[in-house]
Every structure is written in structure tokens, then in C-alpha cells.
Amino acid sequence: MKTLLFVTSLGISSALGSQIANAESIENIDAAANHMDVKTLTGYGQQGNDYNQAYANYRLAISANILGQPQLAVSALENAKETLETLTSASSNADNLALLSSVYGMLIALDNSKAVTYGPKAGKAIQQAKQLEADNPRVALVQAISAFNTPAMYGGSMQRAADLATQAIELYANPCDNICWGYAEAYTWRGLAKQSLGDLEGAVADWQQALTVESDYAWAQFLLQQNSQQNSKS
């Protein structure tokens, strides 16, 4: 019995240690992404062959695209896609599938000709993710991003994007100790949806709330600065 308890204790300690290490890795990736540190993100994207590696490449792609490096963005997305497709084929997981759906969506955004190939795959991946874990906030966030970026004629909707972002925000309030990215991002996307719907005051409030969640969140800072500059000119 003592041996069993000891082995069980070791197993719990190992799992807890893995969760903490994973959370720290995600935080490190987010910190690099907030500063659009392409060099550091590239390094993270070359480490291992797991979710964290794919997430690092996903963030690298976003930073590279903002910095006007589309080839690097596509390369990083292709690396993330390959890793996530391998992970999901081995074992279905809501976070793997949600991130994979978002990667497909970004590949389409960078090259519209890929919509025929990746559009259905993105839809299937996010639906599978929702079936596996309906209360996963990143699933709702990816759905919100998709609704925002999809043309209305193909089912996109700014109101739906705002509603899904709200759903994600509510789910982010639940405790999280493993994969936890996206809380500030959900507020930022909801703000963008509100801006598109004509609610600029609500948009600004959401971007400010994003900074309450994550004080160095660069995207929300940029949007608030941009809004302030536009107001000063008017």
C-alpha cells in the first residue's frame, strides 16, 4: 500500500510539474509576442514538437505579419499546422484543435486561394474542439475571431463575433493552471467587433479592460493609442 501511495504521489507530482512548466512556457511565449520579439519566438518555435512549439510559431506568424514579413509568417504557420495535425491525429484535444483551426484561418487570411482547402478543415476542427470541451474559452475565442474575419456572405457577423468573445471572457473567469492564453485577446477582439458595430465607447472600454488583464498587452495598447491619435485630429 505504501508503495502504491508513493507511486501515485510521484505521478501527481510529475503531472503538476508538467502543468506548471507548460504554463510558464506559454507565459514566456506571450511575453515575447507582446514585444514582437521575432528572434525569441523563432527560438521557441524550434524547441520540441508539441503544443508549445506550435503556439510559439502561431505567435511568431502574427508578429511577422505585423512587421511586414509575410514569408516568415507563412513558414511559421506551416510549421504550426504540421505539428498540430500530428498531435490531433494521435489524440483529439480541444486546445490542439482550436489552435489548428485558427492556424488554418490565418493561412487563408494570408492567401485567399487556400480557402477552398483550409476553410472546411478550420470549420471541422473548431466543431470537434467544441464537442470535446464546450466550456474551453479558447474555443469560443477562435470562433469569435472566425466570425469577425469571415465575410457576411459566408456566415461572418460582427455581432456574433462580439457575442462569442463575451462567451470566451465569461469562460476565462474559471480557474486555469495549464494552457491559459487569450483572456486579454478576447477583450481586444470584442472591442474590435464593437468598433465595427459603431460602439466606439464600448470598444475603448474593452481595450482598457484587456490591459487590466495583461498590463503589457501590446495590441490593446496600440489600438488605444491609435484611437487617441484619431480623436486628437478630429
Side-chain angles (χ1 to χ4, degrees), residues 144 146-152 155-164 193 197:
S146 177
F148 185 95
N149 288 320
T150 301
S157 163
M158 291 299 161
Q159 187 59 58
R160 177 166 166 74
D163 293 344
L164 285 165
L197 291 167

Side-chain angles (χ1 to χ4, degrees), residues 16-207:
L16 181 59
S18 177
Q19 283 189 346
I20 293 172
N22 193 49
E24 288 178 347
S25 296
I26 295 292
E27 288 179 2
N28 291 338
I29 292 166
D30 283 342
N34 278 339
H35 295 91
M36 289 188 283
D37 186 346
V38 169
K39 182 178 180 180
T40 299
L41 288 170
T42 299
Y44 287 148
Q46 294 171 348
Q47 296 175 11
N49 192 32
D50 57 9
Y51 181 91
N52 288 348
Q53 185 254 6
Y55 180 64
N57 275 306
Y58 172 70
R59 289 300 178 196
L60 172 59
I62 293 173
S63 294
N65 188 47
I66 292 171
L67 295 171
Q69 301 177 44
Q71 290 183 332
L72 177 58
V74 171
S75 175
L77 288 170
E78 290 291 349
N79 288 336
K81 179 178 75 70
E82 183 178 341
T83 299
L84 290 165
E85 286 178 340
T86 300
L87 290 173
T88 55
S89 65
S91 177
S92 293
N93 172 287
D95 272 302
N96 292 344
L97 287 161
L99 186 57
L100 179 58
S101 179
S102 194
V103 167
Y104 285 142
M106 281 193 65
L107 283 166
I108 293 170
L110 292 171
D111 183 355
N112 290 334
S113 68
K114 294 181 178 179
V116 175
T117 302
Y118 292 141
K121 289 185 176 183
K124 181 179 179 181
I126 199 62
Q127 286 305 316
Q128 288 178 332
K130 189 171 184 179
Q131 289 171 3
L132 287 169
E133 199 175 338
D135 60 350
N136 186 313
R138 283 160 300 285
V139 172
L141 173 59
V142 171
Q143 288 182 300
I145 295 170
S146 177
F148 185 95
N149 288 320
T150 301
M153 68 178 68
Y154 297 115
S157 163
M158 291 299 161
Q159 187 59 58
R160 177 166 166 74
D163 293 344
L164 285 165
T166 297
Q167 181 182 338
I169 289 165
E170 291 170 352
L171 291 171
Y172 276 115
N174 297 328
C176 177
D177 57 8
N178 191 7
I179 297 173
C180 305
W181 63 268
Y183 197 174
E185 196 170 348
Y187 275 110
T188 306
W189 279 106
R190 190 173 73 173
L192 287 168
K194 287 181 178 180
Q195 182 184 45
S196 296
L197 291 167
D199 181 10
L200 184 56
E201 184 177 344
V204 169
D206 272 346
W207 298 334

Side-chain angles (χ1 to χ4, degrees), residues 200-221:
L200 184 56
E201 184 177 344
V204 169
D206 272 346
W207 298 334
Q208 290 172 336
Q209 188 61 37
L211 293 178
T212 300
V213 172
E214 194 172 330
S215 60
D216 62 345
Y217 190 56
W219 191 19
Q221 291 174 342

